[in-house]
Amino acid sequence: MNVEPVNAGAGGAGLSNSALHGLPAAVAVPRYDRDGLVPAIVHIGVGGFHRAHQQVYFDELCRRTGTPGWGVIGVGLHRPLMGQVLRAQDGLYTVVVRSAEGDEVRVVGSLVDYLFAPDDPEAVLGVLADERTRIVTLTITDTAYPDGEVDVGLDEVRADVEHPEAPGTAFGYLVEALARRRGAGLPPLTVLSCDNVPHNGGATRAAVVSTARLRDPELADWIDQRVSFPSCMVDRITPETTPELREEVAARLGVRDAWPVVTEPFSQWIIEDDFCNGRPPLELAGAQFVEDVAPYSLLKTRLLNGVHSALGHLARLSGFGTAPEALADPVLRDYAVGYLHEVAALLQAPPGVDLAAYCDATIERLSNHRLADRIPRLCRRGSTKIPAYVLPSLRSALRRDAPRAHLVLATAAWMRALRGTDHRGRPFELDDADGLRLQPVARAAGTDPRPLLDRRDVFGSLGDDPRAVRELRGALEALDRDPLAAAVLARSGARGWAA
């Protein structure tokens, strides 16, 4: 991602502590004492979503309470550019909340420091083992989590075990830090995953404990018994930062922000109330603490994340560039609405949630033309997202023999998109490493779904159901004729596709 500074106009100054007092009155700036913030939270994986979501909650908490107790230290594992930008800007950055009515602009100030782990692993281990640190939050992407226990055959996992002073993964850093805390008689940490992983608390516990067990079974038992791994659900649409956004922010602020972030008004953070070393009162900033996150996570992944993928691949095959452009087409809008209603019929609403209203709000969020979420972003890592967000609903519909034409078409659209060309034969890039490995299979198979369905690591036993094979073949044939016409077929309630 390009993070070259943009021309901020006269003077060309960058965003910094000293620049805050000169920003326009319409820009909400931190009025609390940033120098007094206590670094009680370490966040690993400071990307755009974290800066538009969790970090905004911490900033809002500081603004509402003035409490100095919950500052955040950011840690990067893979890309040094974020750290270079944030350090140059005193940890400050801009969030543009974009709605149909206009923009709200705020500068976030709750980030105390930023460390890049490969440059100085000891510094990262030091802050994780610091007595002041009480919580570690994670946004390391869903692909960073193992399926169960970690694989000691991987180089990065071996580094966690053989070189704990310079770990290879986020889980290795946590294990070494927890070993140091245990040895020093310090309290344990709460480790809070904010990634879109099913049962993310349990997945994080399994990864950390299994890493520790490779080193020291007694340490693993101590972690399993003393460390809290609450689950949570996060939701906020956050497109990528563009050069145009940087230029716009520079014009508004009169100073450069090399890496602002743009997002939507909607934001949700639902957290399991299980913390072993105190927790911030994030409910004051709009977060919700519950006993069981699972029904909320299921709703979000099956509906919001599912329709992202369903709409994304179908829109890409049809030649659309952004989600609002796609939903401005009545056929694709009807398809997306139908997909949500089809999936909602398979779910039980969590307490206080109106499923119909949730579906309506989802369509409106995706239709925000001023946010313009790009179709390639919705399609990214399809080989991870389709099995996680779409296929579980399709299996449920097959078990119940429930309406599923939209789900079948969503699956088929991804299978068709694996070929790497749209309906008119125009090539596009697959941002999906596993998808690239499936591409030769998809190209050779054409409209026959069976060669792809034979990949049980992706599709499980779906290919054993003759209804799924027949319906996916019909959907693939319809997509080859015309993706929009295929969407009309789905909306008409067609089930067999090949009829």
Side-chain angles (χ1 to χ4, degrees), residues 42-319:
V42 174
H43 180 83
I44 301 177
V46 182
F49 179 76
H50 167 73
R51 293 188 301 131
H53 188 273
Q54 300 101 52
Q55 199 65 238
V56 173
Y57 281 86
F58 291 119
D59 181 67
E60 184 66 20
L61 180 62
C62 291
R63 293 174 191 237
R64 287 180 178 269
T65 66
T67 177
W70 298 102
V72 183
I73 293 177
V75 171
L77 296 177
H78 303 296
R79 295 190 299 172
L81 287 175
M82 181 65 75
Q84 294 168 13
V85 168
L86 289 172
R87 282 191 293 270
Q89 297 182 176
D90 296 328
L92 299 167
Y93 65 92
T94 312
V95 176
V96 179
V97 179
R98 183 150 285 171
S99 69
E101 292 73 32
D103 293 345
E104 294 182 5
V105 183
R106 73 189 290 161
V107 175
V108 170
S110 49
L111 193 66
V112 175
D113 197 3
Y114 185 99
L115 304 172
F116 184 57
D119 283 351
D120 194 347
E122 184 57 37
V124 173
L125 291 168
V127 299
L128 289 170
D130 192 309
E131 185 175 10
R132 296 173 297 175
T133 300
R134 302 161 75 180
I135 298 171
V136 178
T137 54
L138 306 171
T139 49
I140 54 177
T141 77
D142 48 7
T143 57
Y145 294 80
D147 184 11
E149 297 185 353
V150 296
D151 182 358
V152 72
L154 298 175
D155 290 343
E156 56 268 29
V157 176
R158 284 200 298 272
D160 291 342
V161 177
E162 298 171 5
H163 302 286
E165 75 286 352
T169 73
F171 310 119
Y173 275 95
L174 288 168
V175 169
E176 173 61 14
L178 287 165
R180 295 184 182 190
R181 295 178 75 96
R182 177 176 176 242
L186 296 176
L189 297 165
T190 294
V191 181
L192 177 62
S193 169
C194 302
D195 284 299
N196 279 323
V197 177
H199 311 291
N200 50 13
T204 308
R205 177 187 293 274
V208 172
V209 171
S210 62
T211 300
R213 202 166 298 284
L214 294 171
R215 287 182 48 183
D216 180 353
E218 290 186 2
L219 172 62
D221 290 342
W222 182 85
I223 292 173
D224 200 23
Q225 295 164 11
R226 299 286 304 279
V227 176
S228 292
F229 295 90
S231 289
C232 82
M233 186 273 281
V234 295
D235 188 2
R236 196 171 208 186
I237 295 173
T238 307
E240 295 175 336
T241 299
T242 63
E244 292 77 16
L245 178 68
R246 294 187 183 92
E247 292 170 3
E248 178 186 338
V249 168
R252 286 189 178 204
L253 271 61
V255 297
R256 294 190 317 272
D257 183 341
W259 213 330
V261 64
V262 63
T263 191
E264 63 173 333
F266 181 93
S267 185
Q268 191 174 40
W269 195 3
I270 298 178
I271 310 169
E272 181 185 358
D273 199 353
D274 177 20
F275 289 72
C276 62
N277 191 10
R279 70 159 174 84
L282 285 167
E283 63 272 22
L284 300 178
Q288 182 179 355
F289 289 93
V290 298
E291 290 186 9
D292 185 9
V293 172
Y296 299 92
S297 295
L298 185 67
L299 185 76
K300 187 248 182 176
T301 55
R302 297 287 178 90
L303 289 172
L304 179 73
N305 296 126
V307 80
H308 273 187
S309 293
L311 176 68
H313 295 293
L314 191 55
R316 172 172 263 188
L317 294 177
S318 305

Side-chain angles (χ1 to χ4, degrees), residues 383 418 428-441:
S383 59
L418 284 171
F428 52 74
E429 182 180 355
L430 283 182
D431 189 359
D432 181 1
D434 288 333
L436 288 170
R437 286 191 280 271
L438 294 172
Q439 190 169 75
V441 180

Side-chain angles (χ1 to χ4, degrees), residues 314 318 329-336 338 342 405-406 409 475 478-479 481-495 497:
L314 191 55
S318 305
D329 183 287
V331 170
L332 286 182
R333 189 178 186 90
D334 282 350
Y335 170 76
E342 202 169 81
H406 298 80
L409 186 59
L479 287 165
R481 291 191 296 270
D482 184 346
L484 293 181
V488 172
L489 273 177
R491 194 72 175 106
S492 70
R495 179 176 295 192
W497 287 101

Side-chain angles (χ1 to χ4, degrees), residues 415 445 447-455 463 469 473:
M415 297 169 87
T447 59
D448 183 357
R450 291 174 296 178
L452 282 170
L453 291 172
D454 284 344
R455 289 292 304 267
V469 176
R473 182 193 296 273

